[in-house]
Amino acid sequence: MNDEIIDSEARMLPNWRAAMPAANVVLRSVGNRVQPGAGKIRWCRLRAGEKHTDVLPPLFVPGKFIVVLADQPDDALILDVLAAGAAGCCNTHAAPEVLQQVALVVENGGLWVGQRLLQQLIGNTARILGQGATAESGSLLELLSERERQVARMVAGGASNKEIADRLAIAERTVKAHLTAIFEKTGVRDRLQLSLKINGAGR
Amino acid sequence: MNDEIIDSEARMLPNWRAAMPAANVVLRSVGNRVQPGAGKIRWCRLRAGEKHTDVLPPLFVPGKFIVVLADQPDDALILDVLAAGAAGCCNTHAAPEVLQQVALVVENGGLWVGQRLLQQLIGNTARILGQGATAESGSLLELLSERERQVARMVAGGASNKEIADRLAIAERTVKAHLTAIFEKTGVRDRLQLSLKINGAGR
DNA sequence: TTGCCTATTGCACCAAAGTACAGTTTTCAA
DNA sequence: TTGAAAACTGTACTTTGGTGCAATAGGCAA
């Protein structure tokens, strides 16, 4: 793979070379755009003291994935760079096997997250889900009253609040009240997310 | 790899064979222990109606990783089996490439989570591929420029304009401009309808 | 060189979605 | 009889979505 490794110093590390012998280190300065190379993945080193908000934005280009190699990859940083659009984040000195694993996942369009952080996310989310909503639309809809179910299905079918109000012969305000209750019970934030959950869209 | 696939029927699926030609399907009955094979991974099919709490516990043995192949892998199920100790969970009929990706990650001690769920775990960050797109959504997306496709997929994955702007490092106004063009080209009236078309749900 | 397409962006505006506070009425189990 | 839940609704507000007008700049084929 002809990936590039973007760093503020032009020094190839041994684990990088072992993982991707064909890659090149490309220099960057803060704030500067770097011309994309041929590979699908743009590896970007984040040194201690460098802010991802300064480093990453110029690097995002269509059709390329960014993987961050962080010198100090604490959980908050990892989540931040992933939330900012990076497809993975691991330690600058990660083993070549790990870097290759990251490359495979990311090249296939996946996101790569370290195991320990992922387990934390899973544990936290499993506990949250265990206390409340499930994602399956059947059991999701079971949380709702009869009228709420009716409104939820209509939203999932693409209807606006006004259309729902007209069809059910109720006020638009009433539709909004039902939706607010639906959002609270299901843990979704808006009608688009509700539709995705009910329709089972995605995987 | 000499992994085993544990199922209640002794029937190898084509995607399983393609992903791991040396694997065997091993029969199990509910509640029964299955002697571990030589491989590191024990793939366990979870059919519709089968409860993971009945199926998985006898399968956990030291030194082996369990990956669940679920017929109906909704988010709650995936999180439950991961919280219960499985190292991955994907669709029974996942593509061989996906199964191989799972195998690589898990054999190296990682956890494998589907992209959509992972994005939810990361706080609903979104990078949605066109995986699972219908023919309609395929031809729909062909109408769009590269950047419009990117924006459209992110909307279909549930992202707000602000989130898309942040992830692509562009202005929210630019996202809206792309969406206006997308709506014109596809003939939909808003992001909810766009999401339904791309995800192949509803009308 | 020219014209078209794509990408980007600002300012301004209106419409729709969603939230907050508050209220009434009906049904039904305790 | 009482209290809770469900259903309904108004007024008012904030946030987000979407549109209109206008503009610059780069890439590329004719």
Side-chain angles (χ1 to χ4, degrees):
Chain A
M1 51 188 158
N2 292 323
D3 293 338
E4 62 200 335
I5 305 170
I6 301 164
D7 194 357
S8 51
E9 289 181 24
R11 179 166 154 261
M12 172 72 72
L13 298 188
N15 57 319
W16 298 351
R17 186 185 304 281
M20 27 190 165
N24 292 312
V25 179
V26 177
L27 273 174
R28 65 160 180 81
S29 302
V30 171
N32 281 5
R33 293 183 179 276
V34 179
Q35 203 65 26
K40 276 187 170 183
I41 300 180
R42 318 187 77 191
W43 305 81
C44 175
R45 182 171 183 176
L46 202 61
R47 291 172 179 266
E50 290 176 339
K51 290 185 175 182
H52 73 87
T53 47
D54 293 334
V55 172
L56 296 186
L59 303 182
F60 286 107
V61 294
K64 306 285 185 185
F65 303 112
I66 290 183
V67 174
V68 173
L69 300 166
D71 287 6
Q72 294 169 344
D74 56 86
D75 289 350
L77 173 68
I78 298 175
L79 287 171
D80 280 349
V81 304
L82 291 168
C89 180
C90 55
N91 197 303
T92 297
H93 305 286
E97 302 80 44
V98 172
L99 297 180
Q100 286 171 333
Q101 181 185 117
V102 173
L104 188 88
V105 168
V106 170
E107 277 168 355
N108 284 287
L111 295 178
W112 190 90
V113 172
Q115 181 184 5
R116 187 179 58 82
L117 178 57
L118 184 51
Q119 280 172 331
Q120 283 183 346
L121 292 171
I122 289 166
N124 290 338
T125 305
R127 278 194 288 275
I128 291 166
L129 280 181
Q131 286 173 349
T134 65
E136 190 179 43
S137 69
S139 53
L140 194 85
L141 291 169
E142 279 163 15
L143 298 172
L144 306 180
S145 71
E146 179 58 34
R147 199 59 147 172
E148 286 164 356
R149 262 196 294 278
Q150 201 171 8
V151 169
R153 286 192 178 107
M154 296 174 86
V155 167
S160 67
N161 291 342
K162 183 174 180 355
E163 287 166 347
I164 297 171
D166 289 346
R167 280 188 221 144
L168 297 182
I170 58 180
E172 193 173 332
R173 184 65 193 80
T174 305
V175 177
K176 291 179 179 182
H178 288 311
L179 278 174
T180 298
I182 290 164
F183 295 159
E184 281 174 8
K185 289 178 178 178
T186 61
V188 305
R189 71 177 179 205
D190 60 24
R191 74 202 305 113
L192 184 53
Q193 300 281 347
L194 178 66
S195 174
L196 291 171
K197 275 198 178 255
I198 289 181
N199 292 320
R203 281 186 80 86
Chain B
M1 51 190 160
N2 294 324
D3 293 339
E4 61 200 336
I5 305 170
I6 301 163
D7 194 358
S8 51
E9 288 181 22
R11 177 163 157 264
M12 173 72 72
L13 297 188
N15 58 318
W16 298 351
R17 187 184 304 281
M20 28 190 164
N24 294 312
V25 177
V26 177
L27 273 174
R28 66 160 180 79
S29 301
V30 171
N32 280 5
R33 292 183 177 277
V34 178
Q35 203 63 27
K40 276 187 169 181
I41 301 180
R42 318 187 78 189
W43 305 79
C44 177
R45 182 172 184 175
L46 202 62
R47 292 172 178 267
E50 290 177 339
K51 290 184 174 180
H52 74 88
T53 47
D54 293 336
V55 172
L56 296 186
L59 303 182
F60 287 107
V61 293
K64 306 284 186 185
F65 302 111
I66 291 184
V67 174
V68 174
L69 299 165
D71 287 7
Q72 292 169 349
D74 58 84
D75 288 354
L77 173 67
I78 298 175
L79 286 169
D80 281 350
V81 303
L82 291 168
C89 181
C90 55
N91 196 304
T92 297
H93 303 285
E97 303 80 46
V98 173
L99 298 180
Q100 287 170 333
Q101 182 186 115
V102 173
L104 188 89
V105 167
V106 170
E107 278 168 353
N108 284 288
L111 295 177
W112 190 90
V113 172
Q115 181 185 9
R116 187 180 68 83
L117 179 56
L118 183 53
Q119 283 165 343
Q120 286 184 347
L121 292 175
I122 293 168
N124 268 325
T125 65
R127 184 190 302 269
I128 304 294
L129 289 192
Q131 286 177 351
T134 62
E136 183 190 23
S137 75
S139 57
L140 197 84
L141 291 168
E142 277 164 16
L143 298 172
L144 307 180
S145 69
E146 179 59 33
R147 197 60 148 174
E148 286 165 356
R149 262 195 296 277
Q150 198 171 11
V151 169
R153 286 184 176 120
M154 295 173 90
V155 167
S160 68
N161 292 342
K162 183 175 182 350
E163 285 167 347
I164 296 170
D166 288 345
R167 277 176 212 138
L168 297 182
I170 59 179
E172 194 173 334
R173 185 65 194 79
T174 305
V175 177
K176 293 179 178 181
H178 287 311
L179 278 174
T180 297
I182 290 165
F183 295 157
E184 282 174 8
K185 288 177 177 178
T186 61
V188 304
R189 71 181 180 197
D190 58 25
R191 75 202 306 113
L192 185 51
Q193 299 287 346
L194 177 67
S195 173
L196 292 172
K197 271 195 179 254
I198 289 183
N199 292 321
R203 60 179 191 276

